[in-house]
Amino acid sequence: MEKLHILPTTKTPEILLNPSGQIKIKGRAIDESRSGVPEKMIAWIDEYLQKPADSTEVTIALEFLNSFNTLIVTNVLKKIGQLLDNRKKLHIKWYYEEDDIDIYDRGAYISSVLNIPIEFIVSDNVAEC
């Protein structure tokens, strides 16, 4: 299985999917063009779930997150949450800036709806996470 690294744009986040168990989504998620990136991510995760690492760490550090991309992040975390059913270790870290209650609220909502634990971490600058 290959690592998937998608570079960020002004409207899309950097995405790093590493078969060693690292998943990172960082930057701005405001694009609604349906560029095919979500499908690439889901396909990679589906393949990863066939033979996952013993421990998976998900890092989400978003400056902006619109409703369309919230659905994508929710779908990604829902799929990754299957690891808990298979007795694998899963650690999700959700970074947000102290004054950005919207990003925090979206993460808290996703956590409650999917019933998966997320560690919320305040950061001075999520762009550096």
Side-chain angles (χ1 to χ4, degrees):
M1 171 169 217
E2 297 288 319
K3 175 171 71 169
L4 177 62
H5 188 199
I6 300 170
L7 297 175
T9 69
T10 57
K11 293 184 177 185
T12 60
E14 176 182 17
I15 298 167
L16 178 61
L17 307 171
N18 193 322
S20 68
Q22 291 180 305
I23 296 173
K24 188 172 200 174
I25 303 172
K26 173 185 164 185
R28 296 179 176 186
I30 57 176
D31 185 40
E32 294 189 22
S33 67
R34 293 160 174 78
S35 62
V37 170
E39 290 81 10
K40 288 179 189 176
M41 288 175 56
I42 295 299
W44 187 95
I45 289 168
D46 285 341
E47 184 179 348
Y48 176 76
L49 291 173
Q50 299 302 312
K51 193 174 180 185
D54 290 333
S55 179
T56 301
E57 182 173 288
V58 179
T59 301
I60 299 175
L62 295 169
E63 298 171 54
F64 298 103
L65 178 62
N66 67 10
S67 56
F68 173 72
N69 286 284
T70 298
L71 290 173
I72 294 168
V73 171
T74 302
N75 286 335
V76 166
L77 293 180
K78 182 177 181 180
K79 284 195 169 284
I80 290 296
Q82 294 174 27
L83 293 170
L84 295 173
D85 297 336
N86 295 329
R87 308 250 190 260
K88 297 288 185 177
K89 292 180 184 174
L90 174 62
H91 187 201
I92 302 170
K93 296 190 286 186
W94 186 285
Y95 289 88
Y96 67 99
E97 293 178 8
E98 186 173 4
D99 60 345
D100 195 346
I101 301 304
D102 288 338
I103 293 287
Y104 171 83
D105 285 347
R106 287 182 190 243
Y109 177 77
I110 292 168
S111 178
S112 69
V113 167
L114 298 180
N115 195 28
I116 56 174
I118 295 177
E119 177 185 4
F120 293 95
I121 303 166
V122 176
S123 173
D124 290 336
N125 186 356
V126 295
E128 295 177 1
C129 295

